[in-house]
Amino acid sequence: MRVFFKFFGFIFVATSMMSATAMADDNPIAFEADKVQVNQEDGSMFATGNVVLKQAGKTLRADEVTYSKPNDRAVARGNVVMTLPDGTRHKAIVMEVDNEFTHIVAETLSTKFADGTSMKSKNGEQTVGDKAVFKSARFTPCKCDFENGETPIWDLRTTSTVRSEKTNTISHNNVRMHVLNIPVGYFPYLAHPDWTVRRRSGFLTPSFAISSDLGFTGSIPYYKVIDDTRDIEFTPYRYQYRGTAVKTRYRQKWDNSDLNVAIYTASVETYKKNREAVGAIDGLFTSTLGDDWKLRARLNRASQDTFMRRYNFDDSTSLKSEIVAERIKSERYYLVEANDIQTLQTKSALANEPSLLPNIYYEEVKAGFRKNQVLRTEIQAFQLDNDQGYDMSRWNGTAQITEDFPMTYGIASYDANIIGSFYNLHSQPSTATTKTGNLTAVNPIISLGYRLPLATSILDRLVVIEPQAKLVHVAGEDNTDKIPNRDAADYRIDEANLFLLNRYQGKDYILPGSRMDVGVSAITQDAVLGEISGFAGVSRRLSSQRTTGLSINSDDIYSDYVASASIDPPGAYKVTWSGRLSSHDFKLNESKTTITGNVGVTNWSLDHNQLNKAYFASSSDDREELTASANRSFDNGWNVSATQIWDLSYGTTKQEKTSASLGYGAGTFAVSKTRGGEKSATLIWNGGVQDCITVTVNYKHDPTKDRDIKTVDELNFTVSFKHLGALSQSQIANSINSK
């Protein structure tokens, strides 16, 4: 070993120096030791006491090191630790290395690889860049103190284990698998990718399910890497009572595009026959085109309306296929889209399966002619078919100008726009009161506003108050009883839209007339109650007829009162509330209350939602729900949580859902009971802090029926061991050949 010889010769001459650095032609070696002896006859050397050798990112530490020049090898003894550049650490009683540290032979070897995977063996041999062979080995990916005897959740005990750096594969011979030190299985041979592998062809984790409807179901996915940008996965299912199915997933990536397609094919029992050939597709394509155009295309369709839910492929009750292209610039937004919805519920006369073919939208917002002036332009055109019996086309445009005027006291503003729409109503349900044919609507809207931010002292507290008012006039003809309201039915009046020109979302519901919107917001800070804020507002109708289609009394000239409040004390709890009250009798028509807090390390929350009267008369109402939840984490890794939901609708109190969970690490155990008799329990354990196993057990009792969807009791069981998710014949062959 020429480098060692030169270096130790230097040490022999300068005996007063106890550490130095030598340089080979290509690789520097740093050497330190408390004591060094050199044999002048054969060049052999013996170093003792805190010996450290470093070369090319590799470090060897030992109590003593003997170097034999004829063999060009060094033998380290006593507390030997070698660390490699990738973070791998070898510990041994005795270790022999060559002059470049590339060939290592060790006895009583303990290895911890870069990702935390551990290996113990009677002896081992590694050729860096080629392979490592471990005899009488124990292997575990569990993150535990394996070197000092801590029991892993699971480990493999083998007569020999080989890690090939060329194929990134770990192969085991004569394998005994232990879980918590208990033997659970034997394999003559087992191979799997090492931690450096991101994707590899092979079988994935199997899963098993037992269902009162489907019987025993087993599935073992097979994953195939086609090349660096493509892969495919096949998952066959064999239902004990109902037939077979295959899910095929294909993925491909380009520089600016991605494709992900899932195809379902099956021969299973349906409401039509004992074995029916059915299929479905869910394909998503995304891409960036030209100058910042984002394209998203999805094809989601099924040949039969219930098999996707019955055979646990998709819980959705409708499938949406669409193509969307959008572009966002600093002042402009472009949108072109088309979509079609397929319902997966039993068909009815007014089954909602709308098709939007197409929708074209453009919006531009830019600075106006004055400093605080803003101009906005909006254009839209669409064709809507089969929307609960309605077929219609709509073209509309909006031009808007806004401007603020800072004043000595307060800020004045104006806001004006004009909305022009053309409708062609092709057809409608027989119960509709609207008209078919063509309809043109033009609605100019103008408003004058004023707000006055004030800072004052109340009870020795600084309070910021901002009253504001806006006078709005909507001109044009009232068409609310002629145009079907397809885009504002879910409207809720609140502080966010109280001061908008056209308060109702969309363009179908525009109510002419004059109104005055007023409101006041306030915020303050208190040493005990923390930050306190609130808002209250109302809208007064000055002209026009009674608001058509809304849930208010005929003599009301005021909208519902809208309000919100928040109290956020330091560290204790937080209360937020928002709602609306009838201006006729002050009855609470809608509210949402949330209280959150903590007691020590226990976090808890209460949520109450109530809807006594929807804003639109045609919408459903009288819904009320209360949810209580709490969770706590412990220092030893355990956590516990619980949730209770009560249905308070229609003046009754019904326990709707109860759930509780107990978990270790990121694992959880949960049990739930839901309204209508549905029950479920879930156990998910991922090995806690050792992070090397995932166990999933699901139980479900679902009384829901929909034609051929039956009441079911189902148990699903999956166990996944870290690194053991892939196995293939080619990789087994490669591992054997690499020995």
Side-chain angles (χ1 to χ4, degrees):
M1 188 173 179
R2 185 167 56 88
V3 173
F4 275 83
F5 178 78
K6 287 184 177 180
F7 175 73
F8 280 117
F10 174 79
I11 293 292
F12 181 77
V13 174
T15 56
S16 61
M17 298 181 62
M18 293 295 103
S19 67
T21 300
M23 295 292 294
D25 293 338
D26 299 317
N27 297 299
I29 294 181
F31 175 85
E32 295 179 9
D34 293 340
K35 185 177 180 181
V36 177
Q37 297 178 359
V38 180
N39 187 326
Q40 292 296 317
E41 294 181 359
D42 61 5
S44 298
M45 303 164 213
F46 179 62
T48 60
N50 301 311
V51 183
V52 180
L53 295 169
K54 296 182 179 180
Q55 183 186 53
K58 301 181 282 288
T59 302
L60 175 66
R61 300 176 185 272
D63 292 339
E64 62 181 51
V65 173
T66 301
Y67 168 67
S68 173
K69 187 177 186 308
N71 296 327
D72 202 20
R73 299 187 68 81
V75 178
R77 297 180 178 86
N79 298 312
V80 183
V81 179
M82 173 174 276
T83 304
L84 301 181
D86 67 354
T88 297
R89 186 181 71 246
H90 299 293
K91 287 185 176 182
I93 296 177
V94 179
M95 183 179 293
E96 182 179 340
V97 298
D98 63 4
N99 65 336
E100 296 289 341
F101 291 6
T102 57
H103 186 230
I104 305 166
V105 179
E107 296 180 9
T108 315
L109 179 63
S110 177
T111 300
K112 197 172 190 69
F113 295 103
D115 75 322
T117 297
S118 299
M119 181 87 72
K120 283 184 178 181
S121 62
K122 185 177 180 180
N123 56 70
E125 181 178 358
Q126 179 179 13
T127 301
V128 177
D130 184 11
K131 65 180 179 180
V133 180
F134 306 88
K135 301 294 185 180
S136 299
R138 290 183 64 188
F139 167 88
T140 181
C142 299
K143 295 179 180 179
C144 63
D145 193 0
F146 193 49
E147 294 175 350
N148 295 318
E150 182 179 354
T151 301
I153 293 175
W154 68 272
D155 65 283
L156 302 179
R157 304 181 188 187
T158 71
T159 56
S160 67
T161 293
V162 178
R163 184 212 172 192
S164 171
E165 294 186 45
K166 294 180 178 179
T167 63
N168 302 112
T169 300
I170 298 177
S171 55
H172 310 275
N173 292 286
N174 298 318
V175 185
R176 288 170 296 143
M177 187 172 195
H178 287 67
V179 176
L180 297 175
N181 256 345
I182 300 173
V184 297
Y186 169 80
F187 309 92
Y189 182 82
L190 181 65
H192 57 85
D194 66 16
W195 54 92
T196 64
V197 176
R198 185 174 63 89
R199 50 202 289 267
R200 171 173 292 179
S201 300
F203 291 100
L204 304 181
T205 303
S207 64
F208 307 95
I210 300 176
S211 168
S212 59
D213 177 37
L214 308 178
F216 178 82
T217 302
S219 63
I220 304 178
Y222 181 80
Y223 176 73
K224 173 65 177 177
V225 176
I226 301 174
D227 54 34
D228 289 343
T229 62
R230 295 181 297 163
D231 56 34
I232 192 168
E233 180 182 320
F234 303 95
T235 306
Y237 299 87
R238 177 68 174 88
Y239 306 104
Q240 182 180 3
Y241 303 144
R242 306 291 180 235
T244 58
V246 176
K247 176 184 176 182
T248 303
R249 181 185 56 80
Y250 175 82
R251 299 188 304 175
Q252 184 168 356
K253 186 175 182 64
W254 296 269
D255 290 341
N256 298 309
S257 305
D258 290 275
L259 176 65
N260 192 331
V261 181
I263 299 175
Y264 306 85
T265 55
S267 176
V268 290
E269 178 186 289
T270 67
Y271 74 98
K272 293 181 179 179
K273 58 176 71 174
N274 183 44
R275 292 291 182 269
E276 180 183 3
V278 293
I281 185 171
D282 185 3
L284 177 63
F285 176 78
T286 59
S287 182
T288 300
L289 304 175
D291 186 13
D292 300 326
W293 278 94
K294 304 295 184 181
L295 176 67
R296 182 177 186 272
R298 185 179 186 184
L299 176 60
N300 197 9
R301 204 76 179 174
S303 65
Q304 197 266 345
D305 56 2
T306 56
F307 93 91
M308 292 288 283
R309 286 182 290 156
R310 182 178 182 182
Y311 294 93
N312 299 316
F313 291 126
D314 194 330
D315 291 334
S316 302
T317 56
S318 64
L319 303 178
K320 183 178 182 180
S321 299
E322 63 179 351
I323 181 168
V324 180
E326 63 178 348
R327 182 188 185 203
I328 302 176
K329 305 295 288 185
S330 59
E331 296 181 340
R332 298 176 178 86
Y333 174 71
Y334 307 81
L335 173 68
V336 180
E337 67 174 329
N339 60 62
D340 179 73
I341 294 177
Q342 176 191 13
T343 183
L344 298 183
Q345 294 178 308
T346 303
K347 298 293 193 299
S348 63
L350 291 179
N352 196 30
E353 294 188 304
S355 298
L356 190 63
L357 299 169
N359 175 35
I360 302 173
Y361 179 85
Y362 169 79
E363 182 178 7
E364 180 181 12
V365 179
K366 62 181 181 180
F369 308 105
R370 295 157 54 91
K371 179 180 179 180
N372 297 317
Q373 196 176 66
V374 178
L375 305 177
R376 186 176 74 89
T377 303
E378 177 185 311
I379 301 173
Q380 184 180 29
F382 67 78
Q383 170 70 39
L384 180 65
D385 293 329
N386 198 29
D387 185 20
Q388 291 188 332
Y390 289 96
D391 293 342
M392 57 183 283
S393 302
R394 189 184 79 187
W395 295 262
N396 64 265
T398 302
Q400 183 173 351
I401 182 171
T402 63
E403 187 173 2
D404 287 343
F405 297 92
M407 305 171 66
T408 304
Y409 299 101
I411 301 172
S413 65
Y414 72 85
D415 193 345
N417 74 15
I418 182 169
I419 303 174
S421 301
F422 175 79
Y423 287 83
N424 181 247
L425 305 175
H426 313 316
S427 62
Q428 62 185 20
S430 58
T431 56
T433 59
T434 55
K435 306 294 184 181
T436 58
N438 297 331
L439 188 146
T440 301
V442 178
N443 296 102
I445 309 175
I446 189 170
S447 74
L448 298 175
Y450 180 79
R451 54 191 177 92
L452 179 63
L454 297 172
T456 185
S457 178
I458 300 177
L459 299 176
D460 297 326
R461 295 175 180 83
L462 178 65
V463 181
V464 178
I465 302 175
E466 184 176 274
Q468 57 181 316
K470 182 172 284 189
L471 178 64
V472 182
H473 177 70
V474 182
E477 185 180 354
D478 183 354
N479 294 307
T480 55
D481 59 344
K482 302 176 183 177
I483 299 173
N485 180 13
R486 308 310 302 157
D487 59 11
D490 293 329
Y491 169 80
R492 298 283 186 272
I493 186 173
D494 55 31
E495 61 183 288
N497 54 39
L498 181 65
F499 295 98
L500 295 182
L501 286 182
N502 179 39
R503 180 182 298 148
Y504 311 104
Q505 63 196 52
K507 300 293 187 296
D508 290 342
Y509 197 92
I510 300 177
L511 187 68
S514 301
R515 69 177 196 268
M516 173 65 75
D517 305 326
V518 296
V520 59
S521 61
I523 185 171
T524 186
Q525 192 77 28
D526 181 81
V528 177
L529 296 178
E531 184 178 282
I532 306 171
S533 61
F535 173 85
V538 68
S539 179
R540 188 184 192 281
R541 178 163 52 91
L542 303 178
S543 67
S544 79
Q545 301 297 317
R546 173 181 177 271
T547 309
T548 305
L550 300 185
S551 299
I552 64 173
N553 296 285
S554 58
D555 57 345
D556 279 349
I557 60 173
Y558 291 97
S559 72
D560 281 349
Y561 293 98
V562 295
S564 66
S566 174
I567 301 176
D568 189 7
Y573 61 89
K574 180 179 181 179
V575 180
T576 59
W577 176 89
S578 62
R580 57 184 177 89
L581 301 87
S582 169
S583 60
H584 181 71
D585 54 13
F586 292 96
K587 183 177 180 180
L588 188 63
N589 284 333
E590 185 177 5
S591 69
K592 180 177 182 179
T593 306
T594 300
I595 307 175
T596 60
N598 60 77
V599 179
V601 295
T602 301
N603 301 311
W604 57 270
S605 66
L606 290 172
D607 291 277
H608 178 265
N609 294 281
Q610 174 258 348
L611 177 62
N612 181 61
K613 183 180 288 188
Y615 204 76
F616 278 98
S618 59
S619 301
S620 59
D621 54 18
D622 202 0
R623 299 193 300 270
E624 187 173 1
E625 186 177 81
L626 175 65
T627 303
S629 62
N631 66 81
R632 176 172 180 171
S633 299
F634 299 89
D635 293 338
N636 60 5
W638 288 92
N639 59 78
V640 61
S641 64
T643 301
Q644 175 65 62
I645 301 177
W646 292 272
D647 182 6
L648 308 179
S649 302
Y650 303 102
T652 62
T653 301
K654 184 184 298 183
Q655 183 174 304
E656 183 178 273
K657 182 177 181 180
T658 303
S659 63
S661 67
L662 176 65
Y664 180 59
T668 61
F669 175 72
V671 180
S672 63
K673 179 180 180 180
T674 61
R675 181 174 57 183
E678 180 180 344
K679 303 175 183 178
S680 64
T682 304
L683 169 66
I684 305 175
W685 189 57
N686 75 344
V689 294
Q690 292 194 4
D691 187 28
C692 60
I693 187 174
T694 299
V695 179
T696 304
V697 180
N698 294 309
Y699 167 74
K700 180 178 71 173
H701 169 74
D702 189 354
T704 305
K705 295 182 179 181
D706 187 355
R707 202 163 56 197
D708 61 335
I709 296 181
K710 303 176 181 179
T711 299
V712 297
D713 288 277
E714 183 174 279
L715 179 67
N716 187 288
F717 180 78
T718 304
V719 179
S720 178
F721 296 96
K722 187 176 181 179
H723 293 328
L724 300 187
L727 180 66
S728 68
Q729 292 182 349
S730 61
Q731 296 306 326
I732 292 174
N734 289 337
S735 300
I736 295 175
N737 294 333
S738 67
K739 294 181 182 180

